[in-house]
């Protein structure tokens, strides 16, 4: 008598269980759905035209969606209508079009990206990152440090507290420096913007190489023992473990919006300067000049690009238009990567902040390791340039 | 109720403290105290300022809160 009742009960509870599963794993299901959609799109492209179809799809995404080439077409029509075809054929015409197109493109992408990135970052406050890093050992800890550096919100204002917090929590100097190197260098925003300007292969390469540099740089600083040269006050004192603050979705969205507005307020001037320099390079400086200084056949091009970039303080968003213009003038990929990395990874304000936390010896090592790493990347990529062009 | 705001290194932290002062006045609780020393901040386990501490519990880190948000946090705990 009992059994049939049990069956009936089970049948009743089962659909409920399914509902709970769907509710609990909503995020997972959405994620899988997006993956499936991407997979189907690629599959259709592949069925329609084989490998070529996938390439066409990739080019469409980088050129039209991320690169907004359609905007350039509309702008060129609009400019011709306003200024006349004669003016547009001159250098000034080209420069104005490049300036308007690049400014709009970068600002639109920046707003969208900062919003998405900040939302993701709200899941990785440094307090949590520190906790996560404590679980890893050896080279894996360095790799995780580099990876988490890409998603943890970071500004020069918080570099010292983070440095102190990590060190006091017992994280090795290598892990801390892997984090500090990758943090400004690699993030989702840089990846998307790079794909929009240079296409996916260079963007993926930039990210991978940046992470490798962070891991190797951190390891060198730790293994040579120079990582111990931190200022005394860093080690005196303790850090408490916080439980962390649970955020609701509304909080995260609000945080993302605030972050977007404050970042835009902070970097718009760098974007305009960057685009201005880019437009000038694009239209006024003869290709021969640039080729003479930064051409691929010149062994010193990477050296110049790295050294010039170090003291410059600019956001990755400001350097991309300059890099774009140099790329169009035929400068080697390695030289451009060196320039971008040295501008973003090392800057005067961050050096000054760091010098308060570490002794001069460690600061010098940090700069030397990063600059040499960036230059090595530049030379390797210039040698492999044929793969990208 | 004891409210502490952490950090005053940037505009955001200063604004966060100002908002906390107004919120505390509106709710009729003790005026918040600002802590700016990094060592003291780290004792709360916080690495991203601005942060807000109510009765020894960290309730917000790395974000500037509006007056209204702080008022809600105070009311939840009183």
């Amino acid at each position: 008598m009992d059994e049939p009742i049990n069956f009936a009960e089970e049948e009743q509870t089962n659909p409920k269980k399914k509902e709970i599963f769907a509710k609990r794993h909503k995020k997972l299901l959405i994620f899988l759905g997006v993956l499936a959609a991407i997979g189907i799109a690629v599959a259709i492209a592949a069925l329609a035209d084989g490998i070529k179809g996938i390439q066409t799809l990739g080019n469409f995404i980088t050129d039209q969606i991320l690169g907004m080439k359609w905007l350039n077409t509309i702008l060129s029509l609009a400019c011709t209508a306003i200024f006349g075809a004669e003016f547009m054929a001159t250098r000034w015409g080209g420069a104005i079009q490049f300036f308007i197109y690049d400014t709009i493109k970068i600002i639109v992408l920046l707003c969208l990206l900062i919003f998405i990135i900040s939302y993701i970052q709200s899941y990785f406050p440094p307090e949590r990152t520190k906790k996560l890093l404590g679980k890893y050992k050896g080279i894996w800890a360095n790799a995780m440090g580099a990876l988490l550096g890409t998603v943890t919100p970071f500004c020069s204002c918080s570099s010292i507290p983070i440095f102190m917090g990590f060190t006091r929590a017992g994280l090795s100097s290598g892990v801390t420096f892997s984090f500090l190197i990758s943090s400004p260098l690699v993030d989702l925003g840089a990846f998307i913007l790079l794909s929009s300007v240079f296409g996916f292969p260079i963007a993926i390469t930039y990210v991978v190489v940046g992470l490798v540099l962070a891991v190797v740089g951190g390891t060198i600083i730790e293994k040579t023992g120079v990582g111990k040269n931190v200022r005394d006050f860093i080690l005196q004192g303790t850090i408490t473990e916080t439980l962390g603050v649970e955020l609701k979705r509304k909080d995260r969205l609000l945080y993302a919006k605030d972050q977007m507005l404050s970042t835009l307020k902070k970097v718009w001037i760098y974007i305009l300067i960057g685009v201005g320099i880019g437009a000038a390079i694009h239209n006024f400086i003869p290709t021969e000049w640039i080729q003479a200084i930064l051409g691929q056949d010149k062994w010193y091009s990477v050296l110049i690009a790295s050294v010039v970039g170090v003291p410059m303080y600019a956001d990755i968003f400001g350097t991309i238009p300059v890099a774009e213009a140099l790329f169009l003038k035929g400068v080697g990929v390695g030289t451009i990567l060196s320039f971008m990395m040295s501008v973003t990874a090392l800057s005067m304000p961050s050096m000054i902040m760091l010098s308060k936390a570490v002794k001069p010896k460690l600061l010098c090592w940090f700069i030397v390791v990063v600059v040499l790493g960036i230059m090595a990347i530049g030379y390797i990529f210039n040698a492999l340039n044929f793969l990208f062009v | 109720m004891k409210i502490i705001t952490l950090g005053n290194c940037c505009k955001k932290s200063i604004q966060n403290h100002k908002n906390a002062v107004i919120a505390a006045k509106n709710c009729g609780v003790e005026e918040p105290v600002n802590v700016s020393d990094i060592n003291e901040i780290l004792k709360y386990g916080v690495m991203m300022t601005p942060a807000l501490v109510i009765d020894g519990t960290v309730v917000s880190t790395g974000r500037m809160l509006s007056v209204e948000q702080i008022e809600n946090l105070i009311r939840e705990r009183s």
Side-chain angles (χ1 to χ4, degrees):
Chain A
M1 277 298 279
D2 281 350
E3 277 174 20
I5 295 170
N6 272 345
F7 274 123
E9 263 180 9
E10 246 173 45
E11 261 168 32
Q12 265 183 346
T13 48
N14 255 345
K16 263 187 197 169
K17 267 185 191 165
K18 264 183 197 162
E19 209 173 88
I20 291 168
F21 179 84
K23 254 186 193 171
R24 271 195 194 156
H25 299 272
K26 210 167 141 193
K27 277 175 201 160
L28 186 73
L29 289 175
I30 292 171
F31 180 68
L32 288 177
V34 171
L35 274 189
I38 294 171
I40 290 168
V42 172
I44 290 173
L47 279 177
D49 211 1
I51 293 288
K52 226 175 139 200
I54 297 177
Q55 271 176 353
T56 320
L57 184 73
N59 287 342
F60 176 77
I61 293 171
T62 48
D63 287 350
Q64 301 297 339
I65 298 179
L66 297 174
M68 295 198 243
K69 286 269 159 66
W70 53 269
L71 179 70
N72 207 15
T73 318
I74 293 172
L75 270 178
S76 109
L77 289 176
C79 288
T80 314
I82 297 166
F83 301 114
E86 223 169 274
F87 177 73
M88 288 314 291
T90 65
R91 285 172 173 181
W92 280 101
I96 287 173
Q97 195 187 327
F98 183 89
F99 188 83
I100 300 175
Y101 162 67
D102 242 30
T103 311
I104 296 178
K105 179 177 83 180
I106 291 183
I107 288 187
V108 168
L109 281 175
L110 177 111
C111 288
L112 210 73
L113 287 174
I114 299 285
F115 190 83
I116 298 169
I117 294 162
S118 304
Y119 192 82
I120 298 172
Q121 283 181 341
S122 70
Y123 286 93
F124 296 94
E127 290 81 11
R128 187 166 170 215
T129 298
K130 186 198 75 185
K131 218 172 176 181
L132 284 172
L133 283 179
K135 291 180 192 156
Y136 293 89
K137 291 249 149 43
I139 193 88
W140 292 111
N142 287 66
M144 281 309 284
L147 272 178
L148 287 170
T150 64
V151 291
T152 303
F154 184 81
C155 68
S156 55
C157 188
S158 58
S159 64
I160 289 187
I162 288 181
F163 192 87
M164 291 169 78
F166 278 17
T167 310
R168 284 182 188 176
L171 295 180
S172 72
S173 56
V175 177
T176 311
F177 274 93
S178 289
F179 178 88
L180 284 178
I181 295 172
S182 92
S183 216
L185 199 60
V186 190
D187 65 27
L188 194 62
F191 174 71
I192 306 276
L193 269 180
L194 278 173
S195 359
S196 119
V197 177
F198 304 114
F200 282 123
I202 293 184
I204 293 171
T205 317
Y206 177 86
V207 170
V208 172
V209 162
L211 290 175
V212 169
L213 173 65
V215 172
V216 173
T219 311
I220 290 176
I221 284 172
E222 187 178 348
K223 293 290 180 234
T224 51
V226 286
K228 290 188 187 101
N229 291 295
V230 294
R231 301 226 180 249
D232 298 328
F233 75 93
I234 299 278
L235 297 167
Q236 291 156 2
T238 49
I239 178 159
T240 332
E241 203 64 56
T242 52
L243 291 170
V245 186
E246 229 359 89
L247 292 174
K248 293 190 187 73
R249 180 180 296 159
K250 209 180 122 199
D251 295 325
R252 295 186 198 281
L253 287 174
L254 204 66
Y255 170 78
K257 198 193 89 193
D258 288 348
Q259 248 354 66
M260 181 182 91
L261 291 176
S262 67
T263 310
L264 192 61
K265 246 189 237 163
K266 209 167 61 189
V267 304
W268 69 270
I269 186 77
Y270 293 110
I271 294 175
L272 286 188
I273 293 171
V275 177
I277 296 173
I281 294 174
H282 191 245
N283 296 286
F284 293 100
I285 301 177
T287 308
E288 298 80 54
W289 289 16
I290 292 178
Q291 285 289 346
I293 302 168
L294 297 172
Q296 279 174 56
D297 49 336
K298 307 290 185 296
W299 63 269
Y300 46 80
S301 64
V302 172
L303 193 72
I304 293 176
S306 314
V307 172
V308 166
V310 169
M312 281 167 79
Y313 176 52
D315 200 73
I316 182 97
F317 297 106
T319 57
I320 282 176
V322 178
E324 182 180 13
L326 290 174
F327 187 62
L328 292 173
K329 290 271 175 181
V331 175
V333 173
T335 312
I336 292 172
L337 285 185
S338 296
F339 174 70
M340 289 177 61
M341 288 184 156
S342 65
V343 169
T344 48
L346 298 166
S347 67
M348 280 318 274
S350 72
M351 294 294 107
I352 292 167
M353 286 303 267
L354 201 59
S355 71
K356 289 180 191 164
V358 305
K359 288 180 180 159
K361 191 181 171 191
L362 178 51
L363 187 68
C364 289
W365 267 86
F366 173 68
I367 295 172
V368 168
V369 164
V370 174
V371 170
L372 286 182
I374 288 172
M375 277 165 41
I377 289 168
Y379 283 114
I380 294 168
F381 275 85
N382 274 353
L384 299 174
N385 208 28
F386 60 91
L387 290 176
F388 297 104
V389 180
Chain B
M1 177 173 284
K2 209 175 169 196
I3 301 170
I4 301 168
T5 59
L6 302 179
N8 69 350
C9 69
C10 50
K11 272 187 202 160
K12 274 188 192 171
S13 302
I14 294 166
Q15 188 61 44
N16 192 55
H17 180 69
K18 280 182 190 161
N19 290 349
V21 171
I22 298 170
K25 201 180 268 174
N26 290 348
C27 295
V29 294
E30 228 177 298
E31 179 157 319
V33 185
N34 181 260
V35 171
S36 59
D37 181 52
I38 299 178
N39 273 312
E40 292 298 314
I41 293 173
L42 283 180
K43 277 184 189 158
Y44 290 96
V46 171
M47 285 189 270
M48 278 278 277
T49 56
L52 190 74
V53 179
I54 297 180
D55 286 335
T57 314
V58 179
V59 292
S60 159
T61 63
R63 306 191 311 138
M64 191 192 86
L65 298 175
S66 66
V67 175
E68 202 186 8
Q69 285 173 315
I70 300 174
E71 281 175 6
N72 287 337
L73 286 170
I74 293 171
R75 293 209 180 95
E76 273 172 31
R77 279 165 183 79
S78 55

